[in-house]
Amino acid sequence: MSDNTAHGEPELVQLLTPDGELHEHPDYPLEISTEEIRGLYRDLVLVRRVDTEAVALQRQGELGLWASLLGQEAAQIGSARALRPQDMAFPSYREHGVAWVRGVAPKELLGLFRGVTNGGWDPAKYGLHLYTIVIGSQTLHATGYAMGVQRDGAAGEDGSAVIAYFGDGATSQGDTSEAFTFAAVNNAPVVFFCQNNQWAISEPPDRQTRVPLYRRAAGFGFPGVRIDGNDVFASLAVTRKAMQQAREGQGPMLIEAFTYRMGAHTTNDDPTRYRVAAELEEWKAKDPILRLRAHMETSGIAGDDFFTEVESEADRLGERLRSECRSLPDPAPLDIFHEVYAEPNTQIDLQRAEFADYLASFEDAGAEGGR
């Protein structure tokens, strides 16, 4: 179903209502099995537990920072489950659900925010680029990668496509507009997935744009669509179609997932300073996990035994994460010079040698002091 635009309301692709009712959409058919629906629910619950544990670990001083995804699980899980192994995803710094689906272990994310890793993971191994802190820059990286896929002849019906994740605040960055331009004129196989969580730190959407974000795509020459970002089915169905169209040479598409950041921007943020409690309560009624559970219960897809087991698995995951986080080793000082360039580099070699000598000087000083 979609909202009526006759009264000026933006169209919203929604397959699963907040009450858990499933509706067909003529443009985005949903092909999904019972087991896949169970898998989506499990993903949502476990990723939320990762997020909850990470916030708690930061409050306990175990992490330097954490960017919560609370409330945005459906947008991330649904879109990520639409990807194929050969696809490449470019995240910002909040896509913990995408990382989960692509196979990145949660402890790798914790290591990044604990400050004990110099990068994260191997992007080629997981089809997931490293987290990007510079707002909007990953849209350019994704577009350039997609143009490379295109030139390598790696697209096509069974080929690769690219997806870039970013927030509503990133649409105000020049990098994002440049990425839209390059993607459009080159007909690049890239999908732009904007999670409009209603707050770019403390700025609401009306400080970012005068029109719904998905309509911006038309100005660059490619289609845009707004989906219910708390509807995991809509996220899955729309992203699946957009990625396939990109593979087949139909060019880029902008998906605006209309969702809500129920937590703080990061653990350094206090959202009570810029938003009212009533707004949060309104969005809690649209919770992505509760609506999927309601659908599963009413349709007989799962019963109490299944939901209890998922909760037990989440408890085990939380316990494991707490242990893994506290046991993460510090990197060796010279590791910072690894993989700076793909090929040997004399300047890096020189800097590594100088830093090694600097570190050794402390050992020499200690030895002399012991005499």
Side-chain angles (χ1 to χ4, degrees):
M1 68 178 291
S2 59
D3 286 354
N4 190 343
T5 59
H7 302 291
E9 293 288 333
E11 183 180 14
L12 183 75
V13 176
Q14 182 186 83
L15 277 67
L16 190 64
T17 70
D19 295 329
E21 294 184 17
L22 182 62
H23 298 271
E24 294 184 0
H25 193 285
D27 297 325
Y28 301 101
L30 179 67
E31 297 181 7
I32 190 168
S33 68
T34 297
E35 285 307 307
E36 287 173 327
I37 294 175
R38 287 170 171 247
L40 289 175
Y41 181 84
R42 175 179 175 272
D43 286 337
L44 295 174
V45 172
L46 296 186
V47 165
R48 179 168 290 187
R49 177 55 64 91
V50 171
D51 187 72
T52 301
E53 293 296 338
V55 171
L57 285 165
Q58 194 281 330
R59 298 306 189 204
Q60 296 162 13
E62 300 293 346
L63 301 180
L65 187 75
W66 183 255
S68 174
L69 60 51
L70 185 63
Q72 298 177 222
E73 297 92 349
Q76 295 186 18
I77 294 299
S79 61
R81 284 297 176 195
L83 307 182
R84 295 180 180 177
Q86 67 269 29
D87 295 332
M88 179 61 80
F90 286 77
S92 61
Y93 48 79
R94 198 188 304 277
E95 276 67 55
H96 317 315
V98 180
W100 170 271
V101 171
R102 300 304 275 176
V104 177
K107 71 175 182 179
E108 299 289 345
L109 304 180
L110 299 182
L112 187 65
F113 288 94
R114 189 175 172 87
V116 297
T117 173
N118 294 317
W121 48 86
D122 179 359
K125 178 180 178 181
Y126 297 104
L128 179 72
H129 202 269
L130 302 179
Y131 274 11
T132 306
I133 303 300
V134 179
I135 305 299
S137 64
Q138 72 274 18
T139 59
L140 281 174
H141 304 157
T143 300
Y145 190 97
M147 291 167 62
V149 167
Q150 187 181 54
R151 284 152 176 73
D152 288 343
E157 183 177 353
D158 298 319
S160 302
V162 179
I163 187 168
Y165 290 91
F166 53 97
D168 46 294
T171 63
S172 294
Q173 295 291 331
D175 284 4
T176 304
S177 292
E178 292 166 9
F180 287 177
T181 297
F182 272 87
V185 299
N186 287 280
N187 207 47
V190 58
V191 173
F192 296 105
F193 194 94
C194 174
Q195 294 172 82
N196 181 358
N197 63 19
Q198 311 305 311
W199 290 99
I201 304 183
S202 59
E203 295 291 346
D206 61 11
R207 298 296 299 273
Q208 303 290 324
T209 181
R210 294 293 300 274
V211 299
L213 291 175
Y214 77 97
R215 292 181 182 168
R216 284 188 173 185
F220 291 89
F222 57 90
V225 61
R226 173 181 279 188
I227 67 172
D228 183 342
N230 286 20
D231 174 1
V232 70
F233 289 162
S235 182
L236 172 65
V238 175
T239 306
R240 182 184 284 166
K241 183 173 182 178
M243 292 292 286
Q244 188 60 25
Q245 289 177 338
R247 290 188 195 96
E248 296 173 352
Q250 297 184 45
M253 182 173 180
L254 171 62
I255 300 174
E256 178 193 358
F258 201 73
T259 181
Y260 192 76
R261 190 195 76 217
M262 291 200 285
H265 176 70
T266 70
T267 46
N268 282 350
D269 172 45
D270 179 9
T272 63
R273 298 180 62 183
Y274 53 81
R275 70 185 189 191
V276 297
E279 180 180 284
L280 178 60
E281 292 303 314
E282 177 185 351
W283 278 91
K284 282 183 178 179
K286 304 174 185 178
D287 185 284
I289 296 179
L290 296 181
R291 74 167 67 181
L292 182 57
R293 176 166 179 159
H295 169 69
M296 295 171 72
E297 289 176 332
T298 57
S299 60
I301 292 176
D304 290 341
D305 290 346
F306 169 77
F307 297 118
T308 299
E309 174 52 35
V310 172
E311 288 300 323
S312 297
E313 185 178 0
D315 291 339
R316 295 192 297 270
L317 174 61
E319 183 177 355
R320 187 175 77 245
L321 285 179
R322 292 191 293 274
S323 175
E324 290 177 340
C325 179
R326 296 185 175 101
S327 62
L328 285 169
D330 291 335
L334 292 177
D335 285 353
I336 196 171
F337 296 100
H338 293 173
E339 300 177 352
V340 177
Y341 291 99
E343 302 294 335
N345 182 279
T346 55
Q347 195 67 28
I348 292 296
D349 292 341
L350 177 62
Q351 293 177 15
R352 182 189 297 109
E354 291 177 346
F355 191 50
D357 290 342
Y358 173 73
L359 294 175
S361 70
F362 291 96
E363 298 175 3
D364 295 341
E368 293 174 0
R371 293 196 183 105

